Amino acid sequence: MLARLRKFVLRFGTFHLSMLISLLIFSLFLLKEEQGWNFGLFDMMELKALDLKFLARGAKPEHGHVSIAAVDEKSIERYGRWPWNRIVIARMIAKLAEMGASVVAFDVVFSDEDRSQIPRILATVAEQVDEIELEKCDSGCEDMRDAVLDFLREEIATANPDKILAEVIEKAGNVVLGFFIFTNPEEVANLDRKRLDEGLELITPSKIGLLKPWDPEEEKFYKLTLRKGLAVRAPLPILAEATDYFGHFSFHQDDDGALRWGDLLQEVQSDDPDIRLIYPSLSLKAAAVHLDTEIVVHTYPKGVDRITLGLNQGSPVIPVNYLGRLLINYLGPERTFPTLSIADIIDGNVNPAHVKDRIILVGATAIGVYDLRVTPFQEDFPGVEIHANVIDNILSGNYLSRPDWAFFLELFIILFFGIFFGIVLGRVPALYGALFVVVVLSGYYLVDRHYFFANGYWIYTVLPMSQAFLIFFVVYIYRYVTEERDKKRTRAAFTQYLNAQVVDALMNDYDKLKLGGEKREITVLFSDIKDFTSMSEKLSPDELGHLLAEYLNPMTDIVFEHQGVLDKYIGDAVMAFWGAPNPQEDHAARACRTGLHMIKKLNELNDVWKARGIPHLEIRVGINTGPMWVGNMGSQVRFDYTVIGDAVNLGSRLEGTNKQYGTTVMISEFTYEHVKHLFVCRELDSIRVKGKLEPVTIYELVEEGEGEPEILERVERFHKGLAAYRAQKWEEASGVFHDLLLDYPDDGPAKVFISRCKQYIESPPPADWDGVYVMTTK
């Protein structure tokens, strides 16, 4: 069964493409959710798709919890330009209380004193009355004037609109005053700090006082990250002292300027790091006062889990994200909620049913007065109606949310689409494939609209649709491209390990691609990262993969830059060769330049990685020149363009031999004969590698060119010690190497030969010793 399934899957290369795309999207989506990545345009498209869902659903009726007392054109015509005399506001509150309003919440902040002209006018009238001449008046006129003056003076003393408003607020007992939270440091820098601190004290009664963690013992490790403000603009003290209810009306829009989330909680910066000043929004506070209950914030390790209004089992539960933000389920465009003119309220000309037992939000709707907000339904939506939508969501339980299972459902859909489309699109023509994709996505849209969204669940739309179209286009482009399978497959395969010029040469001469190849002199290079296995154990798979990509990409570019053939990657190792498929007279020099260039590039990478805390990497390079078989090795179904032979194996051994001598780039005597006039090389030893009888002289590749005097001196001093070593003058050789180490403490070969000299002093080699060192390991 499994074998048959495997055979079925492998028949379709398109299936692998589909699954690759799906797994890539799956991985990115998983990381996005875990790390909170912002995908820019993609996220913006998802938000726009959410707006379209609202428009497709259309407006829904409100649930009888909220009405709006509007500062509209009719009221402005009667009471003048906003802001009005506070006595007008007081009359409105009194009228609403008389009509049975549950809560009166202000989407304005009364932060400044009333600038009414009434006291000044009364004082002017009193002054004019006092100056009236009474010579021609009857005897009772003077008493009348004194009585009028007494009345005017009493009115002047009591005509304080702010005091009148405060008395009405206190008497009503159900007024929620709004305040504004500053988030811009430049704004706060220019404000009176003392006044800001006093304002923060005034709104203290509404501070969230009940946080319920999942695990109280682990609460100190919770990451409660709320949007944080720097200060508040609170109501006047005389007004703030008349109520215990306050709520902020600060909104934070999405990147496209639309307002889709309600910040139910917001934190204000505190001078004491152990004290958290968390305040509810105007909407949340109004709902809590309406239900006569407290606000409870439930937390978990990532932040806010949910908000409840009360601690009872049946208390309303508000689904918010970890930042304490509610996704607003807008009911419709402007005036979805009953909107009552303040002038009509004061006159008593409103439907009592729109006031009694309702939350009355007071805010501006007149053009030029109210704050315009962009919502899914319109671009000039009154801000006060946003509060109305939030309150309606809370009190009716009519929420729109992303439940925990939505993420797992979307992961399942990604994998399902990958398998389903991979199988079907690989077997049907493009036209039928397009119809199939349209049918599947139409079904997904209908299920989302009429089940998920209709029941208050936000499921991503752009993600699966983008995946479907991406799979469709990639699969059919792939199928089109593979119609010219022979030539295009060959070019694609060779581009992976040959530069463009070499590929062109091969494509022009197909005889070079015959299986079996030919024998010619070639130079091979092996490079490997030192102690990579132990280092990889300290990194996560993602970190390891990313680090390897950062390393292998430039190393591959260096091979191509020097006209080499990238044979293969062996884990972190790189194998490349020169001299084929096109003849290169300087193949050995090209390989040597590549090795030195790799070391230089790695030093540059290490400087970059150091700043990111990545451990320092070192590589070892082995280079050998000799006769090798080169060509396509394998079968007609699967082959590789590669090199084989003893000379290849020696190149691999030289890379590992660096470890024994503490060197970085090692070449054989065969390569040395080709490059000795171009590079500075240090003869290291004569060795017999494991499995071989003939010794090989090995060299350290130092640098290209004639070399600096200091480098040449160092090489010469080492060669002097090496000559004494081969002459079995152990004490003399040891002394030379010791002197060399004094000047160059990191000289690995000198350390090796000091150790050998010490060993031979204690236990001399046999009489027929030929100076060849036998390698016991690969």
Side-chain angles (χ1 to χ4, degrees), residues 317-364:
V317 178
I318 306 172
V320 293
N321 67 5
Y322 69 98
L323 295 173
R325 308 184 80 199
L326 172 70
L327 184 60
I328 304 173
N329 189 6
Y330 285 100
L331 298 184
E334 181 182 2
R335 292 186 177 272
T336 296
F337 295 87
T339 302
L340 316 175
S341 172
I342 291 178
D344 289 337
I345 292 174
I346 294 175
D347 291 343
N349 295 329
V350 295
N351 186 347
H354 291 160
V355 177
K356 185 173 177 56
D357 297 328
R358 283 185 177 237
I359 296 174
I360 308 299
L361 284 169
V362 182

Side-chain angles (χ1 to χ4, degrees), residues 611-633:
R612 289 161 45 191
I614 296 176
H616 184 84
L617 297 188
E618 296 181 13
I619 61 173
R620 295 186 289 255
V621 179
I623 301 172
N624 183 43
T625 303
M628 308 174 193
W629 282 96
V630 59
N632 284 310
M633 309 298 174

Side-chain angles (χ1 to χ4, degrees), residues 2 7 10 14 79 92-93 110 139 145 234 259 267 280 288 338 362 369 412 567 583 598 613 626 652 665 693 754:
L2 291 176
K7 183 178 180 181
L10 291 177
T14 53
Y79 301 113
M92 177 198 68
I93 295 174
F110 299 116
S139 59
R145 182 184 66 178
L259 204 154
E267 187 172 357
V362 182
V369 178
F412 170 77
D567 190 294
M598 285 179 167
S652 177
V665 184
L693 296 177
I754 288 174

Side-chain angles (χ1 to χ4, degrees), residues 439-470:
V439 170
V440 172
L441 293 184
S442 297
Y444 178 82
Y445 167 76
L446 292 174
V447 172
D448 179 24
R449 176 179 174 181
H450 295 289
Y451 178 74
F452 291 119
F453 192 76
N455 288 283
Y457 302 128
W458 180 25
I459 306 297
Y460 286 162
T461 301
V462 174
L463 175 70
M465 288 190 173
S466 299
Q467 178 196 7
F469 284 116
L470 181 61

Side-chain angles (χ1 to χ4, degrees), residues 212-214 222-224 298-305 321-322:
K212 298 287 289 183
W214 273 9
Y222 285 7
K223 185 180 180 182
L224 186 57
H298 299 261
T299 60
Y300 75 126
K302 288 187 177 180
V304 180
D305 176 44
N321 67 5
Y322 69 98

